Amino acid sequence: MTRIDATFARLRSEGKKAFVSYIMAGDPDVDASLAVMKGLPGAGVDIIELGLPFTDPMADGSTIQLAGQRALEQGMTLDRTLQMVRDFRVGNDSTPIVLMGYYNPIYSRGVDTFLAQAKEAGIDGLIIVDLPPEEDEELCLPAQAAGLNFIRLATPTTDDARLPRVLQNTSGFVYYVSITGITGAAAAQAVDVGPEVARIKAGTDLPVIVGFGIRTPETAREIASVADGCVVGSAIVGEIAKGRPTAEILAFVEGLASGAHSA
């Protein structure tokens, strides 16, 4: 059982939905990013998605693209991202960390080497958005053999013919993208999301977490009420981009988490 599995088991026993937050590793710099990361569990975050900066983030909107650029300009690398995870683990051995990014840096490192380093650092799962199920032998299956969850995205365009393939080797949870398009592009609507979550859950026992388009505690509560939890990324990254103090960023996160947990 991974930390992700254990977290969902705990939440089920408490009758709570999950709140997942995304931040970009190294944005606006390593120290500030790590300070926010260390504060997220205390602000109510159940699972941390940590973005791996990449030069061509094709699934991300401008907010997260700019965060990646800021991190890269500060010299953020895969090695420094893994070190950030190690530094976090010094004080927290229970909160799951999911590394979210693209395959190129992993391929360049070498899959076996990367997986060994990720596991040693304390990463629990991967979301690699540019590897489709047809490429499961590249990373998905080796990752799961190494003890890491491989989390797949389903979208509004994932039809009934495609969905079983998407779910086949997914573990940890399913990430449902609530809108078509890039991150931060539109507002999620529970009336649209609910039936899609039900359709996914008919094909898997995994939790279904909904992301994209969630910016307020109210929306977090509405979306979590029709799923097993929600993810907020662009809204949090936007607060970081404004240069707000860590305490203000975490207070913003706490409001979102409270919304999700009240569902």
Side-chain angles (χ1 to χ4, degrees), residues 34-241:
L34 182 59
V36 171
M37 186 180 182
K38 287 181 175 180
L40 291 175
V45 172
D46 299 301
I47 299 172
I48 297 170
E49 280 185 20
L50 186 64
L52 176 62
F54 182 56
T55 53
D56 188 22
M58 61 186 179
D60 295 308
S62 60
T63 299
I64 291 179
Q65 284 191 21
L66 289 169
Q69 289 178 15
R70 289 191 296 269
L72 291 170
E73 287 168 1
Q74 290 293 319
M76 203 60 181
T77 62
L78 175 56
D79 285 330
R80 296 184 76 182
T81 300
L82 293 175
Q83 186 57 49
M84 185 173 164
V85 174
R86 294 186 192 97
D87 293 341
F88 176 86
R89 285 286 176 228
V90 171
N92 184 311
D93 194 44
S94 59
T95 302
I97 299 173
V98 175
L99 190 69
M100 185 169 185
Y102 298 84
Y103 186 44
N104 184 280
I106 296 170
Y107 178 80
S108 297
R109 175 61 49 95
V111 167
D112 292 343
T113 299
F114 166 77
L115 291 174
Q117 292 174 341
K119 183 71 174 176
E120 175 272 327
I123 289 170
D124 303 287
L126 302 173
I127 300 175
I128 306 301
V129 298
D130 56 348
L131 273 182
E134 288 74 15
E135 306 296 335
D136 275 355
E137 292 184 1
E138 284 282 329
L139 181 62
C140 173
L141 298 180
Q144 301 206 73
L148 299 174
N149 290 128
F150 197 89
I151 296 136
R152 190 86 68 194
L153 276 65
T155 75
T157 60
T158 306
D159 61 19
D160 290 341
R162 180 66 173 169
L163 185 59
R165 188 67 180 268
V166 170
L167 298 176
Q168 184 175 7
N169 291 317
T170 300
S171 64
F173 60 91
V174 179
Y175 187 136
Y176 178 67
V177 176
S178 64
I179 57 174
T180 55
I182 54 176
T183 58
Q189 302 292 332
V191 66
D192 299 323
V193 168
E196 290 297 297
V197 170
R199 183 169 69 95
I200 295 167
K201 290 180 78 68
T204 182
D205 293 330
L206 292 172
V208 179
I209 304 300
V210 178
F212 286 45
I214 302 169
R215 294 182 168 277
T216 67
E218 293 74 22
T219 306
R221 181 174 62 251
E222 292 167 6
I223 295 299
S225 72
V226 297
D228 295 300
C230 67
V231 184
V232 178
S234 293
I236 296 169
V237 173
E239 293 299 300
I240 293 171

